[in-house]
């Protein structure tokens, strides 16, 4: 089956033709994430009569065998009868004791022996007559003997003369809970003035009433609130009650509330809430709303479940059929409700706009109105008019502690009957603290999340907002306060927390229910001290001797480096840096840094970049990372080829000056690559004869000079001069004379002069950097002079800078 899909099985056809009465049970097996992932119900209909029943499946669950099934018998007419149906759900079989009582204190007991998977039914009227029970109603208890297998008990009523049928829902009871405040509610309780959409004959008046049975050994005084809904208003009325003795059944009439005007006469529906002090199902509640002839009427089930997700069974529409759905907020704070209807094998959906409900507020949905009137959903979609059935779900978006209840009724206007249908609730199936394991630094803090796995979808969500009681098993290692964990000292401990979430329960006789429950869980906390060195690495793509040293104090963990490119100034090609990790690291070790030298996709070589690298051991990262600077290799090569001899002689000025000259070409279209403003485009063989391509590693001092240029540490030292050359002795004499005279006329120079801007106006100017030493070839001239464009033709041809 697909998610949210509904399948029908015709049991009559599946079993084949037989003679005589036929009844039994159905065992469904399936593979799924949770026992409640399949919603199953059987429908029994007396053809030709307005008599039908539905039976919800229960889950065969170990540990629920020794529980009683509690309900009420009721024979409103002399022609009324019913069946007590008891089934064995296991191959073990069961010996079952049936106890029936009336309000005069008479008790009648009988024993039913069931073989494995056998179903037996007993006439209610026969049991009442056999037990000489008085009145028209009383209590029923079905209790399997010790060591019996799990059973299921149902009680149905019918009257073929009146056309009456009813389901007397049974409730599982263990009686071992601590007494506390319990509350059950019955949505869609029909009041005396029936909703016209039910299609009952004009003038039909219903008598809504409740059966309350005390299944315990102590007296109970219930409180009954009637949350009514009229066309234009809503409100709450309280029904007068009395103390119910142990074992007794009392009938409470809601008609009095409308007769006394506590509830408006035009109110069609109510959600009835019954609260009491005791154990769960010490008080059971059944409801009915029938006309005086019992020909027309309907019931609503009472339950205590609240959930954030309900997965419903079938909805139906048609010429004589309709489905009403109600959704309400059973909590004491506002809650959102989103309803989705599925059809076409659940391949299509109709989404009702999400509503925010105040405490106690509810709303109704009429499926016939949606389909027949072609009302669009929140996405503008409509359900095609030929669609007659599908499934549905009710969600409280983003919640894990449920506040919503729901109920639906199926209406058969041909017979004037309506039967209720139940949905299965979703809840937390598993919880954990994440991340797991958790890495934390000494003195540092980090968040942990309380995660919950949904029983229906098997998806995980964050339920941290519902968590409490945060602590750690060893506060000397770490402390916790929701949801913050603080590292105190290196070591390992556990973080502990609890969340109050909705949980699907099979506590009572395998009947699904959802209850609020505390979920405690723990998660490992590993506190570490992680450090690394050095703070900075300068390297070439060809270097293989650079390492980052990491020291970790704490339990062994997975060491990995977080490496990211922070900048790549004036470069057309980015390098790739890799640093291997260690899956089981502790103590201290060095890790080699590698930088790729692959040619980039834009055709440039010399990849470069400034990277940040941080060592992390199982989520705990060093507070101080390492900056890895990789200049373009072509920049190292040109500095080496043009001025390595000067550097070897102790000249620390020439190479930075040449680097500044190269950088001064960025943004100048008169130079090749100047518009591109990247080293790879500017430093080319046609412009720099001294590029030494044999240099493939980070030689010094060229590497350091290149790094300072690349990362912007070095400012312009040549006063904006984009050209340079090494003057001859004669050139130097001419330049000295021009410098001394201040002439604006450029002296005649050798072919070493690149003559930058010679053809421009204003023309060129020679910049002599006095801090540059003499050329190491011994000609007595400066190692380099620089060339730039004049600001005007009248300024000196040669200037001196430091």
């Amino acid at each position: 089956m697909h998610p949210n899909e509904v399948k029908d099985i015709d049991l009559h056809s599946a079993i084949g033709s037989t003679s005589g009465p036929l009844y039994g049970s159905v065992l469904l097996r399936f593979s799924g994430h949770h026992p409640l992932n399949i919603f199953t119900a059987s429908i029994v209909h007396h053809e030709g009569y307005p008599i039908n029943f539905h039976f919800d499946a229960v889950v065969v669950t170990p540990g629920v065998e020794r529980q009683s099934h509690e309900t009420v018998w009721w024979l409103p007419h002399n022609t009324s009868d019913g069946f007590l149906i008891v089934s064995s759900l296991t191959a073990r079989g069961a010996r079952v004791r049936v106890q029936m009582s009336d309000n005069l204190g008479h008790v009648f007991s009988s024993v039913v022996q069931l073989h494995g998977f056998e179903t037996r039914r007993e006439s209610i009227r026969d049991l009442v007559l056999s037990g000489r029970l008085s009145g028209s109603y009383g209590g029923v208890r079905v209790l399997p003997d010790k060591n019996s297998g799990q059973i299921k008990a149902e009680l149905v009523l019918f009257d073929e003369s009146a056309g009456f049928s009813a389901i007397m829902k049974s409730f599982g009871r263990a009686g071992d809970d601590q007494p506390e405040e319990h509350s059950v509610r019955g949505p869609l309780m029909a009041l005396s003035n029936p909703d016209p959409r039910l299609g009952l004959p004009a003038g039909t008046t219903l008598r809504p009433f409740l059966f309350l049975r005390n299944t315990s050994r102590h007296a109970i005084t219930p409180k009954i609130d009637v949350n009514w809904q009229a066309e234009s208003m809503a409100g709450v009325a309280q029904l007068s009650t009395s103390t119910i003795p142990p074992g007794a059944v009392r009938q409470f009439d809601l008609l009095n509330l409308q007769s006394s005007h506590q509830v408006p006469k035009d109110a069609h529906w109510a959600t009835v809430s019954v609260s009491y002090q005791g154990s769960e199902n010490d008080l059971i509640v059944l409801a009915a709303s029938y006309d005086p002839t019992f020909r027309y009427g309907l019931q609503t089930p009472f339950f205590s479940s609240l959930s954030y997700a309900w997965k419903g069974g079938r909805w139906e529409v048609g010429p004589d059929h309709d489905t009403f759905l109600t959704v309400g907020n059973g909590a004491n704070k506002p809650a959102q409700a989103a309803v989705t209807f599925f059809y076409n094998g659940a391949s299509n959906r109709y989404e009702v706009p999400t509503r925010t409900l105040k405490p106690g507020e509810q709303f109704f949905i009429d499926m016939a109105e949606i389909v027949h009137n072609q009302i669009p959903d929140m996405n503008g979609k409509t359900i095609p008019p030929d669609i007659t059935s599908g499934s549905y779900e009710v969600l409280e978006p983003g919640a894990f502690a449920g506040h919503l209840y729901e109920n639906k009724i199926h209406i058969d206007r041909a017979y004037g009957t309506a039967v209720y249908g139940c949905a299965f609730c979703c809840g937390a199936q598993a919880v954990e603290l994440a991340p797991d394991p958790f890495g934390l630094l000494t003195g540092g803090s980090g968040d942990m999340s309380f995660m919950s796995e949904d029983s229906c979808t098997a998806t995980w969500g964050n339920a941290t907002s519902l968590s409490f009681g945060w602590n750690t098993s060893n506060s000397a290692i770490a402390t916790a306060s929701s949801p913050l964990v603080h590292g105190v000292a290196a070591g390992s401990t556990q973080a502990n927390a609890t969340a109050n979430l909705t949980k699907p329960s099979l506590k009572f006789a395998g009947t699904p229910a959802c209850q609020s429950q505390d979920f405690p869980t723990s998660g490992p906390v590993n506190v570490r001290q992680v450090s690394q060195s050095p703070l900075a690495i300068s390297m070439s793509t060809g270097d293989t001797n650079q390492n980052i040293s990491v020291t970790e104090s704490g339990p062994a963990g997975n060491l990995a480096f977080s490496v990211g490119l922070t900048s790549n100034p004036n470069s057309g090609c980015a390098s790739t840096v890799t640093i291997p990790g260690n899956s089981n690291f502790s103590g201290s070790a060095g890790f080699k840094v590698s930088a790729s030298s692959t040619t980039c996709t834009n055709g440039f070589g010399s990849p470069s970049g400034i990277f940040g690298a941080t060592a992390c051991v199982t989520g705990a990262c060093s507070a101080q990372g390492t900056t890895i600077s990789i200049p373009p290799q072509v920049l190292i090569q040109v500095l080496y080829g043009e001025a390595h001899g000067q550097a070897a002689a102790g000249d620390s000025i020439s190479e930075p000056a040449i680097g500044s000259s190269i950088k001064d070409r960025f943004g100048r279209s008169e130079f090749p690559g100047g518009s591109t403003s990247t080293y790879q485009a500017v430093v080319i063989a046609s412009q720099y004869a001294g590029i030494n391509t044999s240099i493939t590693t980070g030689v010094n001092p060229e590497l350091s000079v290149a790094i300072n240029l690349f990362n912007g540490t070095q400012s312009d030292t040549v006063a904006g001069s984009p050209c340079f050359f090494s003057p001859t002795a004669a050139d130097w004499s001419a330049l000295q004379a021009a410098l001394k005279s201040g002439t604006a006329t450029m002296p005649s120079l050798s072919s070493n002069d690149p003559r930058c801007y010679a053809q421009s106006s204003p023309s060129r100017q020679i910049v002599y950097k006095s801090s540059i030493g003499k050329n190491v070839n011994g000609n007595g001239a400066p190692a380099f002079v620089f060339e730039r464009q004049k600001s005007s033709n009248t300024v000196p041809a040669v200037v001196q800078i430091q």
Side-chain angles (χ1 to χ4, degrees):
M1 293 180 67
H2 300 295
N4 300 302
E5 186 180 10
V6 175
K7 292 282 190 181
D8 292 328
I9 300 175
D10 186 339
L11 293 178
H12 191 276
S13 300
I15 295 172
S17 59
T18 59
S19 59
L22 184 65
Y23 63 91
S25 61
V26 176
L27 179 63
L28 176 68
R29 295 183 176 93
F30 68 95
S31 297
H33 180 68
H34 191 274
L36 300 182
N37 283 169
I38 292 287
F39 175 93
T40 308
S42 58
I43 307 297
V44 178
H45 177 58
H46 189 355
E47 295 185 11
Y49 292 86
I51 297 175
N52 54 55
F53 310 103
H54 88 275
F55 303 104
D56 291 332
V58 298
V59 178
V60 180
T61 309
V64 300
E65 289 88 348
R66 187 61 177 169
Q67 293 181 355
S68 64
H69 296 244
E70 310 285 348
T71 186
V72 171
W73 64 267
W74 176 38
L75 297 176
H77 284 163
N78 291 333
T79 54
S80 301
D81 199 356
F83 288 125
L84 175 64
I85 304 168
V86 185
S87 299
S88 168
L89 303 183
T90 65
R92 189 191 312 175
R95 186 175 185 272
V96 178
R97 184 170 300 276
V98 178
Q99 294 180 346
M100 298 184 64
S101 60
D102 61 21
N103 280 330
L104 296 179
H106 299 140
V107 178
F108 168 70
S109 295
S110 63
V111 174
V112 177
Q113 183 68 52
L114 297 172
H115 298 294
F117 301 112
E118 183 183 9
T119 296
R120 295 279 299 274
R121 68 183 188 184
E122 302 287 341
S123 165
I124 297 299
R125 183 163 292 278
D126 289 349
L127 291 171
V128 170
L129 292 175
S130 297
R132 298 181 181 181
L133 302 178
S134 302
S136 61
Y137 60 85
V140 179
R141 171 171 292 161
V142 180
L143 180 65
D145 284 356
K146 188 176 181 180
N147 298 323
S148 291
Q150 186 177 341
I151 68 166
K152 176 179 172 64
E154 301 279 3
L155 197 155
V156 297
L157 307 174
F158 54 87
D159 191 325
E160 294 177 296
S161 299
F164 158 75
S165 65
I167 300 173
M168 307 303 282
K169 179 181 176 182
S170 68
F171 299 81
R173 180 176 179 271
D176 56 359
D177 293 339
Q178 290 296 322
E180 61 182 4
E181 183 78 13
H182 285 277
S183 180
V184 295
R185 64 188 58 79
L188 278 177
M189 177 93 183
L191 299 178
S192 62
N193 180 20
D195 193 318
R197 292 173 292 186
L198 290 172
L200 301 182
T204 299
T205 300
L206 304 179
R207 180 194 173 195
F209 61 90
L210 307 174
F211 286 119
L212 272 66
R213 177 178 165 226
N214 183 351
T215 66
S216 74
R217 296 181 179 180
H218 56 86
I220 294 177
T221 303
K223 177 177 176 291
I224 302 177
D225 291 323
V226 180
N227 194 320
W228 53 266
Q229 189 91 23
E231 292 297 333
S232 58
M233 62 178 64
V236 179
Q238 194 168 93
L239 188 66
S240 297
T241 62
S242 58
T243 299
I244 305 174
V249 180
R250 292 290 182 264
Q251 189 179 63
F252 295 91
D253 207 326
L254 274 67
L255 187 61
N256 298 332
L257 293 176
Q258 292 185 282
S259 301
S260 62
H261 306 291
Q262 296 180 66
V263 176
K265 289 189 177 294
D266 64 345
H268 303 312
W269 303 101
T271 293
V272 180
S273 298
V274 180
S275 57
Y276 66 94
Q277 187 75 20
S279 297
E280 191 162 3
N281 290 335
D282 275 0
L283 185 72
I284 64 171
V285 187
L286 296 99
S289 298
Y290 288 92
D291 77 318
T293 69
F294 284 86
R295 173 66 176 81
Y296 304 107
L298 61 157
Q299 295 178 271
T300 188
F302 274 76
F303 52 86
S304 60
S305 293
L306 293 175
S307 182
Y308 60 83
W310 292 90
K311 295 289 186 176
R314 178 185 295 278
W315 58 264
E316 292 182 281
V317 294
D320 295 319
H321 293 87
D322 194 6
T323 299
F324 287 0
L325 178 72
T326 184
V327 178
N329 178 7
N332 57 4
K333 63 179 182 179
Q336 288 190 314
V339 181
T340 301
F341 295 98
F342 303 95
Y343 58 96
N344 277 343
S347 60
N348 297 98
R349 59 174 56 207
Y350 180 97
E351 299 179 84
V352 178
T354 300
R355 297 183 58 165
T356 299
L357 302 177
K358 295 180 291 187
E361 186 180 5
Q362 58 189 319
F363 68 96
F364 298 89
I365 297 175
D366 181 350
M367 286 305 299
E369 183 180 24
I370 287 176
V371 177
H372 296 160
N373 295 342
Q374 290 292 279
I375 298 175
D377 72 351
M378 61 186 294
N379 302 310
K381 297 180 180 179
T382 58
I383 299 177
D386 60 339
I387 296 295
T388 59
S389 66
S391 64
Y392 69 96
E393 70 178 10
V394 178
L395 299 178
E396 185 178 353
F400 290 93
H403 304 111
L404 301 180
Y405 62 82
E406 71 81 46
N407 190 29
K408 71 173 182 294
I409 56 173
H410 294 295
I411 301 165
D412 186 342
R413 295 190 179 94
Y415 291 106
T417 61
V419 295
Y420 64 80
C422 300
F424 278 9
C425 52
C426 305
Q429 172 170 281
V431 296
E432 67 176 26
L433 292 184
D436 181 15
F438 185 79
L440 189 65
L441 284 172
T442 300
S445 297
D447 288 332
M448 294 190 81
S449 298
F450 198 108
M451 305 299 293
S452 170
E453 183 186 25
D454 182 74
S455 63
C456 292
T457 63
T459 57
W460 288 85
N462 194 319
T464 307
S465 61
L466 302 172
S467 63
F468 59 91
W470 285 78
N471 61 73
T472 62
S473 301
N474 188 344
S475 59
I477 300 296
T479 60
S481 59
S482 174
L484 205 63
V485 182
H486 179 73
V488 178
S492 297
T493 186
Q494 292 283 320
N496 311 302
T498 301
N500 187 262
L501 309 174
T502 298
K503 181 184 180 181
S505 171
L506 299 171
K507 180 178 179 181
F508 294 111
T511 301
C514 273
Q515 299 173 324
S516 177
Q517 180 172 316
D518 286 347
F519 283 80
T521 189
S522 300
V525 176
N526 297 316
V527 182
R528 312 173 184 279
Q529 286 182 321
V530 181
S531 62
Q532 68 185 83
S533 63
L535 298 180
I537 290 177
S538 298
M539 64 180 294
S540 157
T541 52
D543 288 339
T544 58
N545 60 343
Q546 297 294 336
N547 292 273
I548 295 179
S549 295
V550 179
T551 299
E552 187 266 337
S553 298
N558 180 45
L559 168 65
F561 284 87
S562 174
V563 181
L565 178 67
T566 59
S567 65
N568 195 18
N570 300 114
S571 175
C573 182
S575 178
T576 299
V577 171
T578 56
I579 311 172
N582 186 324
S583 61
N584 188 32
F585 174 73
S586 63
S588 299
F591 297 87
K592 183 177 292 186
V593 181
S594 299
S596 70
S597 56
T598 305
T599 301
C600 296
T601 56
N602 60 10
F604 291 130
S606 296
S608 60
I610 300 173
F611 298 83
T614 304
C616 299
V617 182
T618 315
C621 301
S622 172
Q624 177 64 58
T626 299
T627 299
I628 303 171
S629 299
I630 306 170
Q633 189 65 27
V634 70
L635 181 56
I636 298 174
Q637 292 171 342
V638 73
L639 294 175
Y640 188 98
E642 294 286 356
H644 181 71
Q646 294 295 126
D651 180 355
S652 61
I653 304 298
S654 292
E655 285 193 352
I658 290 175
S660 291
S661 177
I662 294 171
K663 208 169 181 180
D664 283 339
R665 294 197 177 191
F666 294 157
R668 300 189 180 190
S669 59
E670 61 267 32
F671 297 99
S675 298
T676 305
S677 296
T678 64
Y679 292 104
Q680 292 90 343
V682 168
V683 183
I684 54 179
S686 63
Q687 293 292 304
Y688 298 94
I691 301 175
N692 189 334
T693 57
S694 66
I695 302 301
T696 58
T697 61
V699 296
N700 271 310
E702 287 76 16
L703 174 61
S704 297
V705 174
I707 290 293
N708 291 334
L709 287 166
F710 181 56
N711 63 22
T713 302
Q714 178 188 309
S715 60
D716 186 359
T717 63
V718 293
S721 303
C723 300
F724 67 91
F725 67 96
S726 296
T728 65
D731 292 337
W732 177 232
S733 296
L735 291 173
Q736 280 184 305
L739 177 62
K740 185 176 181 179
S741 66
T743 178
T745 301
M746 179 64 64
S748 178
L749 300 173
S750 71
S751 60
N752 289 352
D753 178 10
R755 299 180 58 80
C756 294
Y757 299 105
Q759 308 303 319
S760 302
S761 181
S763 187
R764 61 202 180 104
Q765 183 180 59
I766 299 297
V767 175
Y768 163 52
K769 186 171 176 62
S770 59
S771 55
I772 283 185
K774 302 290 183 161
N775 197 308
V776 295
N777 62 15
N779 63 5
F784 302 98
V785 293
F786 300 87
E787 199 161 6
R788 64 184 181 185
Q789 189 173 21
K790 286 184 176 183
S791 58
S792 72
N793 283 324
T794 59
V795 300
V798 181
V799 295
Q800 177 178 309
I801 63 173
Q802 290 300 314

